[in-house]
Amino acid sequence: MKLYWSSTSPFVRKVIVSAHELGLSARLETIPTRVAPNRPDLALLQYNPLGQLPTLVLDDGTTLYDSLVIIEHLDRMAGDGKIIPSSPEARMEELRLHALCNGFLDLLVQWRIESMKDTKQIALINAFNLKSGMIWAKLEQAVERVSQRPFGLSSITLAIVAEYADFRFPRLGWREKFPALSDWHQSIQSRPSLTSSKFFDGLKPQ
């Protein structure tokens, strides 16, 4: 399977970490791809008209996009219920927390794009600050429940929130403000799926 990939995308990293946890890493061939709103990748567009990462091309040519769709497929390949629970109640709780973490990743990515512009929309930046503070607080409350679950979809996405914040916003200071979340992340950050897939700028890890 071919995965259109970037070392800086938190959504691609969700797929990479999930594949590792499911024992499917060796099945993925990563295709380095750069995308930007004003610079679509023409090769990627042939498979995904949205021009977004991640995009997975299966052995039979079928294309999947959106990280959750791809991870659902990988989970089924591995036997179903490994990182996304099968029972309706547990599945709903897992997807609910995943939605919060994944939405936060969306917000952080947009926050970075806006912060790099020469002319910034102050109202938008203020809204980002307001939302992010509330989300961090909610995650701090939720982390005890997360720590009691198997390392699944929501845990993977929460770990990537923490590491993307460290990667792109090193001065944010979230660890001092939210110690329970920081302690949880430190307890799981040595998992091979995370250490082997760290964020980096450029074509090769530093």
Side-chain angles (χ1 to χ4, degrees), residues 20-38:
H20 194 291
E21 292 287 336
L22 293 167
L24 296 173
S25 294
R27 295 286 307 275
L28 297 180
E29 175 190 354
T30 55
I31 311 296
T33 309
R34 294 179 182 272
V35 298
N38 60 343

Side-chain angles (χ1 to χ4, degrees), residues 154-166:
S154 61
S155 304
I156 290 168
T157 313
L158 181 55
I160 292 172
V161 164
E163 297 193 10
Y164 189 76
D166 287 343

Side-chain angles (χ1 to χ4, degrees), residues 11-206:
F11 307 105
V12 169
R13 193 170 179 209
K14 277 173 57 186
V15 172
I16 294 292
V17 172
S18 298
H20 194 291
E21 292 287 336
L22 293 167
L24 296 173
S25 294
R27 295 286 307 275
L28 297 180
E29 175 190 354
T30 55
I31 311 296
T33 309
R34 294 179 182 272
V35 298
N38 60 343
R39 293 192 305 276
D41 184 281
L42 297 181
L44 176 61
L45 285 172
Q46 295 180 43
Y47 296 104
N48 180 353
L50 296 170
Q52 295 176 342
L53 300 176
T55 295
L56 183 69
V57 182
L58 305 183
D59 295 338
D60 65 1
T62 302
T63 304
L64 303 177
Y65 27 89
D66 185 87
S67 58
L68 180 57
V69 173
I70 294 171
I71 292 168
E72 285 255 25
H73 176 75
L74 296 177
D75 196 41
R76 288 176 185 165
M77 284 182 64
D80 226 354
K82 297 286 184 65
I83 58 175
I84 303 175
S86 300
S87 67
E89 185 176 340
R91 177 182 172 83
M92 183 59 65
E93 179 62 17
E94 190 78 14
L95 292 177
R96 186 185 68 82
L97 182 55
H98 164 265
L100 178 62
C101 295
N102 200 66
F104 197 14
L105 288 174
D106 272 324
L107 184 70
L108 290 171
V109 169
Q110 293 304 315
W111 193 358
R112 173 171 164 76
I113 291 171
E114 185 64 28
S115 67
M116 294 176 67
K117 293 179 179 178
D118 293 334
T119 302
K120 299 174 178 57
Q121 298 184 51
I122 301 303
L124 193 55
I125 296 291
N126 289 340
F128 288 153
N129 286 327
L130 175 62
K131 290 180 181 179
S132 66
M134 298 183 74
I135 296 169
W136 282 120
K138 183 66 72 173
L139 295 176
E140 179 79 351
Q141 295 171 9
V143 74
E144 183 176 357
R145 297 197 309 276
V146 172
S147 66
Q148 296 169 357
R149 300 178 188 169
F151 193 74
L153 175 65
S154 61
S155 304
I156 290 168
T157 313
L158 181 55
I160 292 172
V161 164
E163 297 193 10
Y164 189 76
D166 287 343
F167 176 55
R168 288 306 194 199
F169 305 97
R171 298 181 182 178
L172 199 59
W174 70 268
R175 292 186 180 275
E176 293 74 22
K177 298 173 185 174
F178 306 103
L181 183 55
S182 179
D183 289 347
W184 172 81
H185 176 256
Q186 290 175 354
S187 75
I188 55 89
Q189 65 180 345
S190 61
R191 294 181 75 92
S193 61
L194 293 171
T195 59
S196 64
S197 63
K198 289 184 176 296
F199 293 113
F200 61 89
D201 282 309
L203 298 178
K204 296 182 179 180
Q206 302 301 312

